[in-house]
């Protein structure tokens, strides 16, 4: 029986991180977690990490698609935070962001990982950006690294 399992070390990987400026007080922690995981665990050199800032989570899919279309990256990590408010705005932004990123992942040949927090309140966002619930930016980075290696093994 053949079994393919990914590992997280990917020293030669070229990674792009698309990150939303809106809610940057949370997103900065997601970015720190992602970069730390890439460098420390994935052994990716800082020269192989490109960070692209966009206005908000709604703009992430277009930026990620544009990055994927360049052919320069082995994986793209999308980071952002959408916090529920008193209107339907949350559903539109989080839904379109998720759908758009999923479409890019399915239509490109590289992993696109979802590190976008969709929370009920600021406290939940803080918990997922490096306190009680871990750092979802680091988790998205680890997923990107593992998927690079899984896809390489499948094709190899």
């Amino acid at each position: 029986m053949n079994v393919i399992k990914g590992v997280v070390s990917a020293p030669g990987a070229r990674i792009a991180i698309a990150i939303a400026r809106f809610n940057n007080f949370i997103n900065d922690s997601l970015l720190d977690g992602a970069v730390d995981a890439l460098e420390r665990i994935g052994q990716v050199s800082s020269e192989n990490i490109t960070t692209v800032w966009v206005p908000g989570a709604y703009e992430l899919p277009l930026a990620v698609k544009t990055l994927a279309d360049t052919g320069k990256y082995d994986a793209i990590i999308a980071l952002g935070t959408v916090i529920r408010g008193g209107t339907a705005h949350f559903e539109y932004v989080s839904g379109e962001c998720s759908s758009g990123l999923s479409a890019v992942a399915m239509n490109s040949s590289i992993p696109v990982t979802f590190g976008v927090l969709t929370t009920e309140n600021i406290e939940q966002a803080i918990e997922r950006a490096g306190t009680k619930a871990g750092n979802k930016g680091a988790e998205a980075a680890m997923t990107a690294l593992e998927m690079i290696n899984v896809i390489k093994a499948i094709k190899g």
Side-chain angles (χ1 to χ4, degrees):
M1 170 171 63
N2 292 322
V3 177
I4 296 174
K5 293 181 181 179
V7 295
V8 293
S9 178
R14 298 160 302 150
I15 309 290
I17 301 171
I19 182 167
R21 245 187 350 265
F22 195 79
N23 288 322
N24 73 304
F25 65 99
I26 299 292
N27 300 343
D28 288 344
S29 295
L30 296 174
L31 178 61
D32 291 344
V35 170
D36 179 61
L38 292 172
E39 292 179 342
R40 191 171 48 82
I41 299 168
Q43 302 173 356
V44 178
S45 70
S46 61
E47 297 82 36
N48 285 358
I49 302 169
T50 300
T51 303
V52 177
W53 288 90
V54 300
Y58 189 83
E59 290 75 29
L60 285 170
L62 178 57
V64 169
K65 180 187 180 316
T66 304
L67 287 163
D69 288 347
T70 69
K72 294 179 183 178
Y73 304 101
D74 298 306
I76 303 168
I77 301 164
L79 301 175
T81 304
V82 184
I83 301 170
R84 186 179 299 279
T87 68
H89 185 73
F90 172 87
E91 280 80 14
Y92 293 117
V93 173
S94 60
E96 291 303 318
C97 177
S98 175
S99 295
L101 292 172
S102 177
V104 174
M106 295 305 295
N107 293 311
S108 71
S109 59
I110 63 171
V112 174
T113 61
F114 189 79
V116 179
L117 303 178
T118 54
T119 64
E120 294 295 320
N121 52 51
I122 291 172
E123 292 77 19
Q124 286 179 353
I126 291 168
E127 287 175 6
R128 287 161 177 75
T131 60
K132 288 189 221 176
N135 186 303
K136 300 304 178 186
E139 289 178 21
M142 299 290 285
T143 299
L145 293 167
E146 185 172 348
M147 286 304 296
I148 288 169
N149 289 316
V150 165
I151 289 171
K152 209 178 277 187
I154 291 169
K155 290 180 176 180

